[in-house]
Amino acid sequence: MDGISIIIPCDRERIPLLQITLEKYLEFDMHKVEILIVTRTIESMEEIIENELLPIRLIKYNDGGPYFNPARALNLGVSRAYYDNIIITGPEVKPITNIIEQFKSLPKGNYVCQVFDLNQDGSIRLSLVNKNFRGDTPGFCFLAMYRKEDIIAINGWDEQFCDGKAYEDEDFGKRWVRAGIPFEVREDIQANHQWHLRNDVKKGLEINKKIMDQHDSCGLIRAERGFNLYE
C-alpha cells in the first residue's frame, strides 16, 4: 500500500480529545502519511499542537448548517487528500493497535475497523463496529480506510445531511452496498472511542432520517450533492 491520508473533521470543543488522539499517532511511523484536520471553528494549528512532529494540515470550511454534520468536511478533506488511501476517523477515536503499520501491510482496499465505546471511567461500554454488529455496511466509519476512487464512485457523502444531524454515515454505507463495492471488517485493527457528552437534537435527527428514508426508497447510489462539488 502506498501513502495514507487521514481525514479528521473537528470543531474547537473536541480539541482536548483530538490532542489525546494525536499523542498516540506520535508513536507510529508516519512516513508517507498525512493528517488533515477539517474544521469550521479552529483558527490555527497552535490551538491543536505545539510541535511539528506530525504531518498535519488544517483545512477550514464554512458549513452554515444549524447542526454539526461531517458530510461537507469529509468530502472537502478527500478532495484535498494527497494520497489515494483514505482513513476516515474522528478526533475522539484513539488507536489501540498500530493502525498505520497494520494498514500499510494490507493490499489496497476498503477496511472498517473495530472501535470500542468507552464509559466516562475509561471502561469499555461496547464494541461500536465488528463483524456481527454494524458490519453489513462500511458506513460506520469511526475508523475506516477507503480507496479514494470508491468514495468518488458513489459521489462521497451527501451534503443534504448538513441541514440536520447524523445519518450521513449510515446513508453512505447503504449506497456503497447498493453499488456492490467490496469491503472488509477488520476486528484486529482497533481503537477506542473516548467518552464525551452527546448532544443529540431530536429535530436534527428527524430531518436527516427523512432524507435517508427517501434515499432508501429510491435505491439511491450516487449522492445528489457530494464529492462532485469539489471537482
Side-chain angles (χ1 to χ4, degrees):
M1 184 179 291
D2 197 7
I4 296 171
S5 295
I6 304 172
I7 313 298
I8 305 178
C10 186
D11 271 0
R12 178 174 282 118
E13 65 267 19
R14 296 288 175 91
I15 287 177
L17 298 169
L18 175 63
Q19 289 171 331
I20 294 171
T21 295
L22 293 178
E23 286 179 6
K24 186 64 179 180
Y25 280 96
L26 284 168
E27 300 177 13
F28 304 150
D29 179 1
M30 300 294 283
H31 176 64
K32 298 187 74 173
V33 179
E34 64 170 356
I35 299 174
L36 282 67
I37 308 297
V38 192
T39 183
R40 304 177 300 174
T41 56
I42 300 172
E43 295 297 330
S44 68
M45 285 296 303
E46 287 71 22
E47 294 184 65
I48 302 172
I49 193 165
E50 294 180 357
N51 60 59
E52 298 180 358
L53 296 177
L54 287 173
I56 300 178
R57 284 194 281 148
L58 190 69
I59 299 174
K60 295 201 64 181
Y61 74 105
N62 178 24
D63 188 323
Y67 309 97
F68 174 71
N69 185 285
R72 183 165 299 167
L74 294 174
N75 286 329
L76 178 59
V78 172
S79 75
R80 300 283 185 86
Y82 183 77
Y83 298 110
D84 291 332
N85 302 297
I86 308 292
I87 291 178
I88 301 297
T89 188
E92 65 279 352
V93 179
K94 178 183 176 181
I96 299 172
T97 59
N98 189 331
I99 66 169
I100 301 301
E101 182 179 278
Q102 289 173 299
F103 279 131
K104 285 185 173 180
S105 70
L106 295 171
K108 187 174 182 180
N110 303 299
Y111 303 100
V112 180
C113 307
Q114 180 162 215
V115 175
F116 300 98
D117 194 34
L118 300 185
N119 294 308
Q120 191 169 5
D121 64 2
S123 60
I124 295 175
R125 187 174 73 90
L126 81 163
S127 171
L128 290 168
V129 184
N130 56 62
K131 291 180 179 179
N132 297 316
F133 180 59
R134 291 175 166 169
D136 54 343
T137 84
F140 295 100
C141 47
F142 299 97
L143 175 63
M145 172 177 279
Y146 306 115
R147 303 192 317 165
K148 188 173 184 177
E149 58 262 41
D150 291 334
I151 295 174
I152 294 172
I154 63 168
N155 204 21
W157 290 264
D158 199 321
E159 295 191 17
Q160 291 184 89
F161 289 99
C162 290
D163 294 331
K165 188 171 179 64
Y167 290 106
E168 84 293 330
D169 50 358
E170 189 172 355
D171 174 78
F172 175 89
K174 288 181 175 182
R175 290 187 289 108
W176 186 290
V177 170
R178 290 183 198 123
I181 303 171
F183 70 95
E184 180 182 353
V185 177
R186 296 294 303 234
E187 294 184 343
D188 59 318
I189 305 176
Q190 300 179 348
N192 282 329
H193 183 273
Q194 301 174 62
W195 182 89
H196 60 84
L197 290 172
R198 269 70 163 179
N199 184 24
D200 290 335
V201 182
K202 183 178 179 181
K203 184 177 179 181
L205 294 171
E206 290 174 347
I207 290 170
N208 280 2
K209 179 62 163 60
K210 184 177 180 180
I211 294 171
M212 187 180 70
D213 289 346
Q214 290 171 343
H215 291 177
D216 289 347
S217 66
C218 68
L220 185 72
I221 292 177
R222 286 183 55 82
E224 296 177 20
R225 288 168 39 209
F227 185 82
N228 62 303
L229 299 174
Y230 306 93
E231 292 179 316

